[in-house]
Amino acid sequence: MEDNQKYDLLKNIDTPRDLRKLSPSELPQLSQELRNYIIDTVRQTGGHLAPSLGVIELTIALHYIYNTPEDKLIWDVGHQAYGHKVLTGRREELKTNRQFKGLSGFCKRSESEYDAFGAGHASTSISAAVGFAAARELEDSDYRIVSVIGDGSFTGGLAYEGLNNVCNFKDKPFLVILNDNDMSISPNVGAMSNYFSKIFRSPKYQYYKNRIWDVLGYLPRGTNTFRRLGHKLIRPLKKLLAPTVVFEEFGLRYFGPVDGHNVNELLSTFRNIKDLKYPVLLHVKTTKGKGLAKAEPDPTSYHGISPVKPKEKEKTEEPPSKPRYCDIFGDIAQEVAEANEKVVYVTAAMKEGTGLAKFDNKYPGRLYDVGIAEGHAVTFSGGLAAEGYRPIVCIYSTFLQRAYDHIIHDIALQDFPVIFALDRAGLVGADGPTHHGVFDLSYLNTIPKMVIAAPRDGNELRNLLFTALDQTDNLFAIRYPKDSFVKFDKDANPDTLQIGSWDMVR
């Protein structure tokens, strides 16, 4: 490790066992070293920076208190797990992050025994954790299970399908950590985001409940019996003081919010809840991009960054880079909207990634961001189409896989002429296999009345969108890569293409 003097504690940690040898008083220093190491490394390799910076203290506290890898730590969206990788024997390998034959940018079971479950997208951790709980019961084991899920992931229905089954495993420790940072990639949308804010703004119920809980814990004998009785006594208090605590209705005891950047508060909290024999949801409040001055006020821009070029290269004049398809899609989206007032756009928490942020600024009310809910995005578009609107669904190719049944059942079988704009089709590079858009040609080609098209440049992207809009007999999917294109004439007029035609270019 370069500059070892900057990492006096971190340089000696190769596994969580080494971490547990430190005293609690040393952990704030370790938190700063780990945060600095990730910043320094990701600036050189590129990668998801802001998400991991927000969970540094949480990551340290989890590995300090829980006996990983025997205890299962399941990350929802692995791009927040860089600190987890560093603490679990991959410190030096982080310098190869997202490179050929290097470290994956996400959790990967084949990479480490500490990666209990792989994840490149959101809302999976609770369902996976319930699966681990079922296996634990079948094996009659007693390991602990922890899933870390961001509040943005609660906009995905799979999270609730998992919660709905947590109550089936209620006699052993089961912890869900809600990492509440108000963000997924973009600021969170919808009722659940408002609900978490309501909890955070309504501390009275949690204060009184936690005080009663602490007092009952001081009783010398029968602590668990008294606490079970206390939980029943708290119910009337909940009705008087609390916002609707939906998690407790799912069978999880709610604790929090706690400060996700106070490592000692986290240690104390984990010690208190670690051995509780029922499911618990711990609400942890964090700041995405914590510790990086530019990232905290603008976490969206620092969600993922490109490598910093060496200084000697920065001085060399380079030809201007060509715009990517997603960069120009927002401009074309405006042209299409101007041409047809029935056109609306739908995306699943990817407004920036699909290039629609500038469209949203110019046409408020004609873009619907439904959160991390691809299936809902498609069926929602079917409802719009049923009333005569022309929805254009903008989703990364790999993420549309989640909505395959919705495309068939809710769109194709009802002959709705919904248009799908599939960004990141084909290979996407450093994000790796969880993000490669390599299946859409196969899975969309099986669907009746599905037209699949691929533009060769920006002009043809425009022409294909107008062509799709000009017909109502088919579903229409336009797939385009993450890469840049050769040509785009900003002031050109769109052409309507003959469906089924092609050009021979070589």
Side-chain angles (χ1 to χ4, degrees), residues 482-501:
K482 183 179 181 179
D483 209 347
S484 59
F485 49 79
V486 176
K487 183 179 180 181
F488 179 67
D489 300 322
K490 187 173 183 180
D491 298 322
N493 293 320
D495 289 328
T496 301
L497 307 178
Q498 181 183 349
I499 295 175
S501 65

Side-chain angles (χ1 to χ4, degrees), residues 374-394:
E374 292 83 0
H376 166 60
V378 172
T379 303
F380 168 69
S381 299
L384 284 163
E387 288 298 294
Y389 284 87
R390 299 303 307 274
I392 300 177
V393 183
C394 307

Side-chain angles (χ1 to χ4, degrees), residues 59-118:
T59 303
I60 289 173
L62 281 168
H63 281 294
Y64 194 86
I65 296 297
Y66 287 87
N67 185 33
T68 53
E70 285 76 16
D71 291 338
K72 309 303 179 186
L73 179 55
I74 304 168
W75 294 91
D76 200 285
V77 189
H79 65 228
Q80 62 180 326
Y82 288 6
H84 158 80
K85 293 193 175 208
V86 172
L87 296 177
T88 55
R90 290 168 279 180
R91 183 181 62 240
E92 294 302 315
E93 288 181 89
L94 192 67
K95 297 173 183 177
T96 68
N97 186 41
R98 293 158 48 93
Q99 299 173 28
F100 180 59
K101 294 187 178 181
L103 210 61
S104 169
F106 303 92
C107 291
K108 192 173 183 179
R109 281 174 55 84
S110 61
E111 190 175 282
S112 171
E113 63 179 336
Y114 290 92
D115 290 2
F117 197 81

Side-chain angles (χ1 to χ4, degrees), residues 302-314:
Y302 285 84
H303 177 81
I305 65 171
S306 299
V308 175
K309 296 180 180 179
K311 290 183 178 180
E312 60 271 14
K313 290 186 179 180
E314 288 179 355

